[in-house]
Amino acid sequence: MRRIHDMGGLPAGPIDSAGHDYAPWEKRVDAIMRLLTRSDRQTMTVDELRRGIEDLGPGAYDRLNYYQRWIASIANILIERGVIGVDELGRRMADVEARWRADGRTRRDIEP
């Protein structure tokens, strides 16, 4: 059965190969992934990251952009491995959002 990420042989339209600047949050996601997959730590592997992205449901996969898929996968893998719990992750996300709101920013500041 073909999954949402499997586009092999299907028409996908033109590919925009132009470079772009990365948003600060995208750079942070990349840094988090690199730290978690370092060979001396092996908190997770790149293969697990890929599996986590492929396990996203069609709605999430289509709605999220590249780095949003990465951070969703990273969060799910860290929960699977018991590195962080769902409650702790929820509390931390709420803390970050509260700091952002205190600075006058909203989720729209980071969403594409």
Side-chain angles (χ1 to χ4, degrees):
M1 182 170 121
R2 185 181 292 256
R3 294 170 65 185
I4 189 69
H5 68 279
D6 185 3
M7 296 291 294
L10 296 177
I15 296 173
D16 181 5
S17 61
H20 70 279
D21 292 331
Y22 296 99
W25 74 268
E26 292 174 319
K27 294 177 183 177
R28 287 188 195 107
V29 170
D30 185 76
I32 290 168
M33 192 278 296
R34 290 177 189 275
L35 289 170
L36 293 171
T37 58
R38 278 178 36 172
S39 61
D40 61 332
R41 292 190 179 170
Q42 284 281 312
T43 305
M44 61 180 278
T45 67
V46 173
D47 292 335
E48 288 174 310
L49 175 73
R50 185 74 222 159
R51 177 189 52 83
I53 292 169
E54 292 172 357
D55 285 348
L56 293 172
Y61 190 89
D62 289 337
R63 187 182 75 251
L64 301 177
N65 69 26
Y66 186 78
Y67 284 104
Q68 288 172 326
R69 291 176 190 149
W70 275 31
I71 199 63
S73 175
I74 289 168
N76 287 336
I77 291 166
L78 294 180
I79 291 168
E80 282 176 15
R81 289 185 158 226
V83 175
I84 189 168
V86 172
D87 290 342
E88 182 181 1
L89 179 60
R91 283 192 307 272
R92 301 247 177 157
M93 290 173 66
D95 290 345
V96 170
E97 187 170 352
R99 286 196 308 265
W100 278 61
R101 287 183 188 274
D103 290 341
R105 295 183 279 182
T106 68
R107 286 179 179 233
R108 291 182 183 201
D109 292 324
I110 61 169
E111 293 177 351

